[in-house]
Amino acid sequence: MIKLSAPISVVWEITNNCNYKCPHCRAYQMYHKEDENIEDTIIQELIDSKVMFVNISGGEPLLNPRIFDIAKRLSNENIYLALSTNGYFYSKYRKDIVDSGIKFVQVSLDGKKELHEKFRGVKGAYEKAIEALKMAKEDGLRTQMNVTITSSNINNLEWNYNIAKEIHIDKVFYRRVVPYGKAKTNKYVLPEKKLYYEQIRKLSKLDSKDLQVAIDDPILNVLNNIQGTEYIACGAGINNLGISSEGNVYPCIFLREKIGNLKTNKLVDIWNNSITLKKLRERKIEKCGKCKYKYSCGGCRAFSGIYKKDNFCPL
């Protein structure tokens, strides 16, 4: 496995604040006042470490009043920027988003109007999501529909693919819900395992020249019997990291195992010296680390914790 001197990509939660009420939220909807000092520190660490790709996330990142200053400072250093948003404020900040240097817009959409708005807890959320994707495409930005697979939409996932084709966006991205934050107690959001396997197999066959389909789940390689080290399904701590608005650093933004804080640690020092990251890279992760699929899969660490077996494993 190639060892990198720093992460290629980082997901940075620039705020915990959000205008939605999602039952699987990792931010808990707790009010949080952003800290400009730690934001400045994180920006400089990303620049100094020569990170190539930053996904600006949240909460809802457009609620951070400094978002466009943050984006401009990063894009001026030739860092490729994505924005992960619920889409609600896209039309309001449309010109600012484009002018700030953001190149890639990801909008969460769970399914049809009734389903999406019930899950997100906000009327008008569906129209805002569709509107944001269409506008971003018109603005010349790369567009992606993010679909979190839950018990609510497990039987309607191809709908997202079809609507994504209809509105001519670039990519639809499916990922399994992670039992962290609110989803840790709201366990009803977890889909039934066998049905989940069936659905992600179907989704993996939908890719076309007009629309890219990605399924962000390493166990798909187990289902498809893909082994070896040529394809590393999970990049947590291998090519990417997560950073919270408080400066906490995680192997991925969904795997909330703190490995340092940028108030006191350098990003490259965390990357190169973290024992946790070394174990992830060497696949020293108990049962998953002994499996013949340990490199091509290794389980979703965010789902079951760093060292435990992935509870959704089909073996």
Side-chain angles (χ1 to χ4, degrees):
M1 189 181 297
I2 296 173
K3 186 177 184 301
L4 302 171
S5 59
I8 292 173
S9 66
V10 163
V11 178
W12 177 14
E13 296 171 339
I14 64 169
T15 183
N16 282 337
N17 300 323
C18 189
N19 56 318
Y20 281 15
K21 304 169 184 176
C22 310
H24 67 315
C25 180
R26 64 181 183 264
Y28 291 91
Q29 288 92 40
M30 291 174 63
Y31 178 75
H32 168 79
K33 191 175 188 306
E34 290 79 15
D35 184 333
E36 293 187 16
N37 291 326
I38 188 59
E39 286 174 354
D40 290 340
T41 298
I42 294 170
I43 291 167
Q44 198 58 51
E45 284 296 312
L46 294 170
I47 294 169
D48 291 347
S49 302
K50 295 182 170 55
V51 171
M52 299 170 67
F53 178 98
V54 174
N55 186 347
I56 300 173
S57 181
E60 171 48 51
L62 290 171
L63 289 175
N64 183 322
R66 294 184 77 212
I67 181 172
F68 302 117
D69 175 59
I70 289 169
K72 285 177 183 177
R73 289 171 64 184
L74 293 173
S75 64
N76 285 342
E77 297 292 332
N78 296 315
I79 295 174
Y80 188 91
L81 294 183
L83 172 70
S84 287
T85 175
N86 58 38
Y88 197 87
F89 301 107
Y90 189 92
S91 59
K92 179 179 180 179
Y93 296 115
R94 184 176 185 177
K95 186 176 186 301
D96 295 308
I97 290 167
V98 175
D99 291 346
S100 70
I102 290 168
K103 302 294 185 187
F104 185 13
V105 172
Q106 304 175 17
V107 181
S108 298
L109 187 62
D110 303 297
K112 296 178 182 180
K113 177 179 171 66
E114 183 179 354
L115 187 156
H116 181 68
E117 295 189 356
K118 182 178 180 181
F119 195 78
R120 300 286 166 170
V122 173
K123 288 185 177 180
Y126 175 81
E127 284 83 4
K128 287 292 187 180
I130 295 292
E131 176 187 67
L133 286 166
K134 287 181 176 179
M135 286 183 173
K137 185 69 177 179
E138 290 171 5
D139 293 335
L141 306 180
R142 181 164 172 76
T143 49
Q144 176 174 299
M145 181 188 295
N146 287 342
V147 187
T148 302
I149 301 176
T150 68
S151 58
S152 298
N153 63 4
I154 187 68
N155 289 304
N156 297 284
L157 296 169
E158 285 190 41
W159 178 91
N160 294 82
Y161 172 80
N162 292 328
I163 196 69
K165 286 193 77 173
E166 183 181 313
I167 62 177
H168 305 294
I169 63 170
D170 300 296
K171 184 177 180 180
V172 58
F173 182 87
Y174 296 93
R175 68 162 294 118
R176 190 197 324 172
V177 66
V178 172
Y180 183 82
K182 284 191 152 187
K184 196 170 184 178
T185 50
N186 293 334
K187 293 187 178 179
Y188 67 86
V189 300
L190 301 178
E192 191 274 322
K193 283 198 284 189
K194 288 186 179 179
L195 179 57
Y196 176 77
Y197 304 153
E198 176 187 319
Q199 294 299 327
I200 62 171
R201 274 197 179 109
K202 286 182 182 177
L203 294 173
S204 68
K205 298 173 183 177
L206 292 177
D207 207 9
S208 72
K209 65 178 182 179
D210 301 318
L211 175 65
Q212 183 183 357
V213 177
I215 296 101
D216 184 30
D217 197 323
I219 67 170
L220 186 60
N221 286 338
V222 178
L223 295 172
N224 292 332
N225 193 29
I226 296 174
Q227 300 178 42
T229 59
E230 294 82 12
Y231 177 70
I232 306 300
C234 176
I238 295 172
N239 57 31
N240 67 74
L241 289 176
I243 301 174
S244 75
S245 57
E246 296 90 359
N248 292 329
V249 180
Y250 307 110
C252 96
I253 206 63
F254 295 99
L255 177 53
R256 310 300 273 202
E257 177 84 16
K258 181 179 172 183
I259 54 175
N261 185 286
L262 296 182
K263 293 177 183 176
T264 53
N265 308 111
K266 293 289 185 184
L267 187 61
V268 290
D269 290 341
I270 296 170
W271 180 259
N272 290 309
N273 300 317
S274 166
I275 299 300
T276 297
L277 295 187
K278 288 178 181 178
K279 287 182 177 180
L280 284 174
R281 292 163 189 162
E282 295 168 2
R283 289 297 196 255
K284 293 182 178 178
I285 43 181
E286 292 192 5
K287 287 186 178 180
C288 286
K290 298 172 185 176
C291 177
K292 63 183 178 181
Y293 298 102
K294 70 178 181 179
Y295 289 111
S296 61
C297 175
C300 176
R301 300 294 96 220
F303 193 87
S304 300
I306 289 185
Y307 305 118
K308 296 178 182 177
K309 177 184 175 182
D310 186 338
N311 288 331
F312 256 48
C313 176
L315 297 181

